[in-house]
Amino acid sequence: MNTRTRVALAAATALVAAAAALTPAAAAPGAGSSAATLDYVALGDSYSAGAFVRPWAVDDGCGRSAVNYPRQAARRLGARLTDVTCSAAEVRAGLLEPQTELTGPPSVPPPGGWAARPPQVHAVSADTDLVTVGAGGNSIGFVDIVRTCVEKGLAAFGMGNPCTTHYSRGAAAGELDRSFTTLRADLTALLGEIRRRAPRAGVAVVGYPAVVDDGAGCGWGSWNQLGTVAKGDTAWLDSVERRLNTVLREEAGRAGAAYVDTYASSAGHGVCASGELRWMYGIKDTLTGEGTQSDPPSELCRSIPARGEACTVLHPNVRGTTHQADRVTETLRTLGASRD
């Protein structure tokens, strides 16, 4: 958001406040309303934290960006934000329970590592008006799945669909199915705990944007795209993400929460798109966002024979985080305006 827009919004907010002071009956609380400032709590993983989009905080290992979708949405709505999103968070280990695995950025931790993070859901209270939940990918091991696809695609020299075959039968298939079953149970517990802590809050579950909905533009061995993932496996990877979003949408519905669909509106903007049409980082990529902040790559990342500042491993870039913010803001505006 540019300076001119921020000034205009500030002026508009002041006018609304002045008008409300002269109105005998206050309007119902809502986004943009002066009757009350909405308290917004953002829970989630690296897709919610905006990992690898400059600038980010460097003190706790969570990699929260100053322009992630919670912060963009809060600024647009004039809400009071508590952002506890954190890279590597799972629904259970991170949102419901403490998180001990922290991955940054920065990707190289300080001596002694980062301190464990308390359960994100503890940030939700009876005073909370709005909650977003953006998590689930780590619960099913999506990064490990991508790593397996990279390794099997390299071994097959990009031929066939070795990753699809691996996960479609035997132990790997069973493990993946169990991870989805566990995710459903954890989401039920999380959304129930949010409702217990904040019975009047508007809650939105945020789905994942399109990552590899169209593999036509990807070149095998291109690390700012999918690296050595075989082209024959891109459709299967997309099906895993769509399955994940289906679980998030269904569990949101069962809990009486809103679902924010960021997939449909980002189709065609995945990692295989080119130029400004691409809203996703590849496996190893150059950072986006304002400033010159860098992420010195880990030893493993340095071993990848490709240009790029960091192993960004399929996350939204700055265009992607802004797209997420657009969809989330729309939903939160509705939830805020509908509060009693």
Side-chain angles (χ1 to χ4, degrees), residues 38-39 124-130 197-198:
L38 295 175
D39 284 300
V124 178
S125 72
D127 295 327
T128 302
D129 300 303
L130 299 170
R197 288 172 170 270

Side-chain angles (χ1 to χ4, degrees), residues 112-271:
W114 289 290
R117 301 286 300 173
Q120 292 183 24
V121 74
H122 286 185
V124 178
S125 72
D127 295 327
T128 302
D129 300 303
L130 299 170
V131 181
T132 53
V133 177
N138 294 321
S139 299
I140 65 164
F142 189 72
V143 171
D144 291 331
I145 291 170
V146 171
R147 183 183 298 113
T148 298
C149 290
V150 166
E151 293 171 351
K152 291 193 173 297
L154 177 61
F157 297 100
M159 304 299 292
N161 54 359
C163 199
T164 306
T165 300
H166 173 74
Y167 282 105
S168 297
R169 61 191 183 196
E175 183 177 352
L176 184 59
D177 287 342
R178 285 190 294 274
S179 72
F180 273 101
T181 299
T182 300
L183 172 60
R184 282 191 182 275
D186 289 346
L187 282 169
T188 297
L190 174 65
L191 294 172
E193 179 65 9
I194 291 171
R195 185 60 62 200
R196 185 187 72 79
R197 288 172 170 270
R200 295 180 62 250
V203 181
V205 176
V206 183
Y208 289 87
V211 177
V212 60
D213 57 300
D214 181 5
C218 272
W220 188 79
S222 175
W223 291 99
N224 70 343
Q225 296 177 327
L226 290 171
T228 57
V229 174
K231 277 195 173 184
D233 285 323
T234 57
W236 180 81
L237 272 177
D238 180 57
S239 75
V240 172
E241 187 192 359
R242 287 187 283 106
R243 181 181 180 184
L244 172 58
N245 279 337
T246 296
V247 170
L248 296 175
R249 183 178 66 249
E250 290 177 351
E251 293 307 312
R254 290 190 178 98
Y259 175 70
V260 183
D261 181 4
T262 67
Y263 182 98
S265 52
S266 60
H269 298 281
V271 69

Side-chain angles (χ1 to χ4, degrees), residues 64-112:
R64 285 182 293 272
S65 171
V67 291
N68 61 18
Y69 74 70
R71 296 179 189 228
Q72 288 197 52
R75 285 194 291 268
R76 298 178 193 184
L77 299 172
R80 184 185 299 111
L81 173 66
T82 301
D83 181 4
V84 291
T85 59
C86 193
S87 294
E90 301 178 16
V91 174
R92 173 65 57 180
L95 276 68
L96 275 167
E97 297 175 359
Q99 181 179 345
T100 57
E101 180 185 354
L102 298 159
T103 59
S107 299
V108 179

Side-chain angles (χ1 to χ4, degrees), residues 20-83:
L22 299 174
T23 303
S33 166
S34 63
T37 298
L38 295 175
D39 284 300
Y40 165 27
V41 176
L43 317 178
D45 59 20
S46 54
Y47 272 62
S48 297
F52 301 110
V53 176
R54 295 180 298 228
W56 60 81
V58 297
D59 58 351
D60 63 0
C62 287
R64 285 182 293 272
S65 171
V67 291
N68 61 18
Y69 74 70
R71 296 179 189 228
Q72 288 197 52
R75 285 194 291 268
R76 298 178 193 184
L77 299 172
R80 184 185 299 111
L81 173 66
T82 301
D83 181 4

